[in-house]
Each structure stands twice: as structure tokens, then as C-alpha cells.
Amino acid sequence: MAQFHHIKFLHQVERLSQREIAKKLGISRNTVKKYLSATEAPTTIQRQKVYSNKKEYSEETKRILPIIDQWLEDDLKRWGKQNHTAARMYQRLVDEYNFKGSESNLRKLVAKRRKKLQEVFIPLDFQLGHQFQFDWGEADIILQGRKQRIYLFCIQLSASRVRFVRAYLHEKQEAFLDGFVHAFEFFGGVPTEGIFDNLKTAVEKILQGRDRLEQESFLSLQAHYLFKAEFCNVRSGNEKGRVEGTVGYVRRNALVPEPDVQSLDELNDYLREWCLKETERKKVPHSKETVAAIWVKEKEYLHPLPEQPFEACKLVSCQVNKTSLVTIETNQYSVPCRYVGQAVWAKIFVDRVIVVAQNQVIAEHSRSYERNQVVTVLDHYLEALLKKPRAIRDAHAFQSSDIPDVFRRFHRKMREQEGAAGDRKFIRLLLLHREIGMEKLTQALLEAEQAQVYRYEVVHENIQRLTNNYLRTHELTKEKTPTSLLDYKVKKSNIAQYEQLTGGQVK
């Protein structure tokens, strides 16, 4: 542009000839002639117009253009991380189509053709209370001193942009369902519909178009909270772009540096508070109001929560084996021994396992995330131990850390003093916890141990005394005493009558 201006000025103002201009500027006379004959200045747009249409594709390039276009269109239907690169296209064209062109020119050609196929996105403005978007993410934390990979349940209201994040040790169905129970409680209601990927915990089979055969447990969740699920096209995560960005945002802003926690409950409390602070700090795009302010408005449009939360568990059928255990994901959990050989149902929650038979809960355990563990409760085996008392010493449940040490010490002493009879009597003592509770039974054993008397009768007396301390009697006032009882007199016993039975001798 500067050269064009200089040439025009020298010719029209200073009246120099083409030869003089070329000599003064040190350029070709042909260049001077071209600029003097031009009617328009060589702007960027004008240069692109002139040079872009100057040269057509060669016959060799025209031959492979349809092939390149077809490959690019096919890539749009595949996973984005496994598409053709320009280098791979060149290699295939050489091997399969005997292409004679250069790789550098093909790279430019592919870049140009790819621009023409770019997807168009439409700006959206969501209605209050209408939609939420969900996705899983991953992050690392320090859990009890060790690095642990966790999975982040991320959900966001599309209108107010409120985020909710909860951490789990896995992405299994029970964690998926449990996340929604906590999320809807956090939001204060339920939106009309949710946008999901085609994850296996929600979709059993992908049908034609947007139709899906959904998992029964996921349909049960929708029926309980009354929302509708919409699923993205396959490999089209951009259709839920709100929450796609949330996953990375949470990882970078809430979990850097890596939190050092003792439990997931501690981490989830932190994440909940972080989400609440974000609502006060962030503003809704294209609005002057904070996320918290829009959230207050959106709550009025959300469906109310049901009276009871959803039972977020996976239901599996189990068979109780000969050792009164059911197997759940390589781990074994005990049930009362009277159910040996029977089929039962196990409700697998994120944090616990509940076993049900005939619509009654027969056992409940904290869930173990280790492998090949045996989790037992001593109470489940007491009836069997009455028949096999010698097994109490080596019973797995009796060695549990949940059993106070005084029980094992007391049993050793009873066994030393009374042998097999001591085993039977000790098991009878264990059965008493069903009536008085483990705390009082432990206290009774400690008192007997302190007195160094290891006998069933002594412990039983201690238990009676302990329980009587909690039975308070209240005297009725004369006004509240029934009339018929006022004249009631208790006759004192005549001890002399009992002496006749012993011949007058006092025993």
C-alpha cells in the first residue's frame, strides 16, 4: 500500500516518468506500470480476491478432492480423538490411490477443506427451572496420606449456572443415583429435564435417532423426582457444553492444590461450601446479577422435592452360603445363620450394604471397597454357637475390632475355669446383649473382671443391678391413688411357719 501511494505521488504530483520512478525506487518498470494502471488501491481484501482465484487445482489434486471430502465427513461421525490427520490422509492417498502430489500442499488443502465443514453452534437462552446438565469428571486428592483418584459427579442448572459437585470412589450405578439425591436437595427442587451422555448407568441400549432403552433404576429415579432425561447424540458432548466446562473448572479451581483429607465426607463438605461461595462470586453471563440471585428466582420454577428421598442403591439377588455369608463384588457379608441356603436381596448403597429377606431387613453393614474381605457380625452366629460352643474362640466375628477386649479376656478365664461348660455359659452371656444392649453387658463384664470373679451368675447379678438402676419407681400421691388401693394392706410374712419345714433348725 505504501509503495502504491509513493508511485502514484511521484507520477502525478512530481511528474516523473515510469523509468525515473523505477530507477529512484529500485523496482521494476513493470511494477510501476501495473500500479499506475490500477484503478483501486491494493487493499488486503483486493489482494486476496486477485491472488486466490488466480490458480486452479491441478488435475492430480482434483482427482483426490472427493476422497478427502468424504473422509472429513466420515470423521464428523467418529470420536474426535480418532480422526484423520493430514499426514495420515497423505499416507493413505499414496498407498491406496497412488497420489503424486506433495505432503505440504496436501496439508494446506486439508486445512482449507476442513474449515468448510466446521459445525455451526447456536447461542441459547434457557428458561428458569427447565434444564440441568450432568457429566462425570476425574481428579486426584490426598486421602489419608495417599494419592487417590476420585470421580466427580458434576451437575449444573442451565439457566442460573448453579453448580453442584460431589466426589465418589467410582462411577457405578449406586454413585450415579446417590449424586442426584444430594444434588436435588442442594438445588432446592427438581428441573423439568436433564441432558445426559449415553452412559451405561443410564442407557441400556442406544436405539434409532435419540431413542434410548433406559436402565430400570434410572427410570425409577425419574419417576420419583418427576423429570425427563434427554440424551446427546453419540460422541457429541458439545450438546451439554455448560457442564463440560464445569468439570475442568472444578478440577482447576477447587482441587488445586490437591486437598489432603481423611474421608470423602470431609471432601464433600468442602466441595459443597465451594459451590455455595461460587454462586456469590460469579455472575451470570450477559447479566449484571450474581448466580445466587438468579438461583433464588429459579427455585420458584423448580418442582418440589418428594416427601421421601430416593433409595439410591443397586439391587442384586444373593444366595446365603453354608457359612451364613452373601458375596457382593468379591466381598462377603454375614447374615443371621437361620437364613443359610436361602435366596435374599442385597441393596448396595455407596456407603453401606443392606440385606433383605421376606421384605424385612435382616443385616446391615458398612460397605468395604477393598477386595476379598469378610465382614461379619457376632450376633448373626450366636444360635449356631450354642450348638457348637467350642468354635467361639476362633470365630471370625469374635476377633473383630468391634468386640471389646474384655469379652475375649473374660472368655479365656471362663474356659480355663470351667472348660466346655465355660464356653456355653459365655455364649449365653453374649445372647443377653439383645435384651440390654452391648454397652450394659460390657459394663457388667468389666465389673466382674475387676472383682476377679469369672462366673455367669455374677455377671447376671451385675446386669440385674445395672438394669434396675434405670427402672425408677414413683410414689403416687394420696389424691392420685385409686380408692380401692387405699384400704389395701400387705400382710407381713411369719418366718416361724417356715421353721416347721426345717424341724426348727435355721439353715
Side-chain angles (χ1 to χ4, degrees):
M1 179 64 72
Q3 192 177 57
F4 175 81
H5 168 263
H6 204 179
I7 291 171
K8 287 280 189 180
F9 182 85
L10 292 175
H11 181 69
Q12 295 183 12
V13 177
E14 298 189 6
R15 301 296 180 178
L16 297 181
S17 65
Q18 294 183 16
R19 183 185 300 273
E20 291 172 332
I21 294 173
K23 184 177 180 180
K24 183 172 183 178
L25 298 180
I27 59 176
S28 170
R29 287 175 59 191
N30 292 334
T31 302
V32 176
K33 182 179 180 181
K34 181 183 69 173
Y35 281 169
L36 290 176
S37 61
T39 57
E40 294 183 17
T43 60
T44 301
I45 296 176
Q46 183 66 21
R47 290 199 301 273
Q48 287 180 349
K49 181 179 178 182
V50 171
Y51 292 111
S52 61
N53 297 326
K54 186 175 182 180
K55 186 177 180 181
E56 294 185 356
Y57 293 125
S58 65
E59 293 299 323
E60 181 68 0
T61 302
K62 289 180 181 179
R63 181 174 70 87
I64 52 91
L65 270 179
I67 301 171
I68 293 175
D69 290 342
Q70 185 61 51
W71 286 348
L72 291 173
E73 288 182 8
D74 292 342
D75 281 349
L76 293 176
K77 304 172 186 177
R78 297 193 186 96
W79 185 30
K81 296 182 180 180
Q82 203 167 343
N83 289 344
H84 282 89
T85 62
R88 178 56 182 155
M89 286 187 179
Y90 177 75
Q91 184 181 1
R92 286 192 63 186
L93 289 171
V94 171
D95 295 342
E96 301 173 23
Y97 297 93
N98 197 26
F99 179 59
K100 303 298 183 182
S102 68
E103 184 175 353
S104 60
N105 285 336
L106 183 71
R107 289 177 182 275
K108 297 175 184 177
L109 178 65
V110 170
K112 187 181 295 184
R113 308 300 286 188
R114 191 169 270 148
K115 286 182 179 179
K116 294 182 178 181
L117 294 175
Q118 284 186 346
E119 186 176 357
V120 177
F121 298 97
I122 301 172
L124 302 175
D125 189 10
F126 294 96
Q127 300 175 9
L128 292 174
H130 178 68
Q131 187 192 93
F132 69 85
Q133 298 180 6
F134 162 79
D135 198 10
W136 281 108
E138 296 181 17
D140 287 338
I141 64 168
I142 306 300
L143 182 60
Q144 296 180 352
R146 295 188 300 175
K147 182 170 287 191
Q148 174 73 48
R149 175 63 53 89
I150 60 168
Y151 299 88
L152 300 173
F153 178 97
C154 301
I155 185 172
Q156 184 175 23
L157 296 181
S158 298
S160 62
R161 311 294 180 93
V162 178
R163 298 183 177 99
F164 174 77
V165 184
R166 189 170 177 84
Y168 294 94
L169 292 175
H170 53 73
E171 298 176 324
K172 295 178 181 179
Q173 191 177 68
E174 54 269 30
F176 174 69
L177 300 174
D178 184 75
F180 286 103
V181 175
H182 288 89
F184 292 147
E185 289 178 356
F186 177 81
F187 291 146
V190 185
T192 304
E193 71 174 26
I195 305 297
F196 297 84
D197 280 330
N198 298 281
L199 62 169
K200 292 182 180 179
T201 50
V203 177
E204 187 173 335
K205 185 178 181 181
I206 298 176
L207 305 177
Q208 188 174 6
R210 289 187 177 270
D211 294 333
R212 303 290 186 270
L213 179 61
E214 299 177 43
Q215 294 281 2
E216 184 176 349
S217 59
F218 185 52
L219 288 171
S220 179
L221 177 78
Q222 295 178 57
H224 189 84
Y225 287 107
L226 299 179
F227 71 91
K228 180 182 178 182
E230 293 289 341
F231 297 94
C232 299
N233 288 313
V234 179
R235 293 181 293 275
S236 297
N238 58 279
E239 294 181 5
K240 52 178 181 58
R242 289 276 193 275
V243 76
E244 288 283 342
T246 290
V247 173
Y249 182 83
V250 171
R251 189 163 43 224
R252 293 186 301 271
N253 293 274
L255 301 176
V256 175
E258 297 169 343
D260 190 347
V261 296
Q262 294 302 309
S263 67
L264 281 186
D265 288 338
E266 181 184 346
L267 176 63
N268 285 324
D269 289 342
Y270 161 73
L271 288 173
R272 182 185 178 89
E273 289 301 315
W274 180 84
C275 290
L276 290 172
K277 290 178 181 177
E278 283 289 294
T279 63
E280 299 288 348
R281 191 177 66 85
K282 302 288 288 186
K283 289 186 177 181
V284 176
H286 314 296
S287 171
K288 295 182 180 180
E289 295 185 272
T290 63
V291 170
I294 302 296
W295 184 19
V296 171
K297 298 177 182 179
E298 186 162 23
K299 285 182 181 180
E300 300 178 2
Y301 294 86
L302 298 175
H303 301 302
L305 293 169
E307 293 182 1
Q308 297 294 329
F310 181 75
E311 195 171 40
C313 65
K314 180 170 63 176
L315 191 65
V316 297
S317 177
C318 305
Q319 190 79 16
V320 183
N321 65 17
K322 292 187 294 184
T323 53
S324 197
L325 298 169
V326 294
T327 302
I328 299 172
E329 296 180 349
T330 78
N331 294 322
Q332 294 184 310
Y333 300 87
S334 68
V335 300
C337 57
R338 63 181 177 276
Y339 293 97
V340 167
Q342 295 188 28
V344 295
W345 290 97
K347 294 181 177 181
I348 307 174
F349 293 83
V350 170
D351 56 348
R352 66 193 189 280
V353 173
I354 295 178
V355 185
V356 179
Q358 291 86 44
N359 294 324
Q360 290 185 342
V361 175
I362 62 173
E364 183 171 353
H365 299 272
S366 296
R367 183 175 178 179
S368 173
Y369 280 105
E370 299 182 24
R371 293 182 62 81
N372 302 313
Q373 300 296 305
V374 178
V375 182
T376 55
V377 174
L378 182 60
D379 183 69
H380 293 163
Y381 295 94
L382 292 181
E383 284 80 6
L385 286 170
L386 282 173
K387 300 176 183 179
K388 302 178 180 180
R390 286 194 302 177
I392 181 63
R393 181 182 60 184
D394 302 313
H396 180 276
F398 192 53
Q399 309 306 321
S400 171
S401 59
D402 294 334
I403 304 297
D405 289 336
V406 65
F407 282 76
R408 285 181 281 271
R409 295 195 303 267
F410 207 90
H411 170 250
R412 283 196 297 269
K413 290 294 184 179
M414 290 186 71
R415 188 185 183 90
E416 291 173 3
Q417 294 177 6
E418 302 183 61
D423 289 335
R424 288 192 295 271
K425 291 180 179 179
F426 182 74
I427 295 167
R428 287 171 57 197
L429 284 176
L430 292 178
L431 283 167
L432 292 176
H433 91 275
R434 295 179 178 176
E435 301 176 15
I436 64 171
M438 186 62 78
E439 184 179 350
K440 291 189 180 68
L441 179 57
T442 302
Q443 187 176 351
L445 289 176
L446 287 171
E447 290 182 3
E449 183 184 47
Q450 189 174 7
Q452 295 186 355
V453 181
Y454 301 95
R455 298 182 62 83
Y456 173 85
E457 295 78 10
V458 173
V459 177
H460 197 271
E461 289 178 3
N462 290 342
I463 290 173
Q464 287 183 324
R465 180 176 52 78
L466 288 171
T467 53
N468 286 337
N469 287 342
Y470 289 89
L471 296 175
R472 298 179 181 177
T473 57
H474 300 278
E475 294 184 359
L476 294 177
T477 61
K478 187 174 182 179
E479 292 77 13
K480 293 184 178 181
T481 303
T483 307
S484 58
L485 292 179
L486 291 174
D487 300 327
Y488 186 79
K489 305 294 181 183
V490 178
K491 185 178 180 181
K492 294 184 179 180
S493 300
N494 186 0
I495 300 177
Q497 295 177 353
Y498 293 95
E499 293 180 359
Q500 296 176 4
L501 298 175
T502 61
Q505 298 178 6
V506 178
K507 297 290 185 180

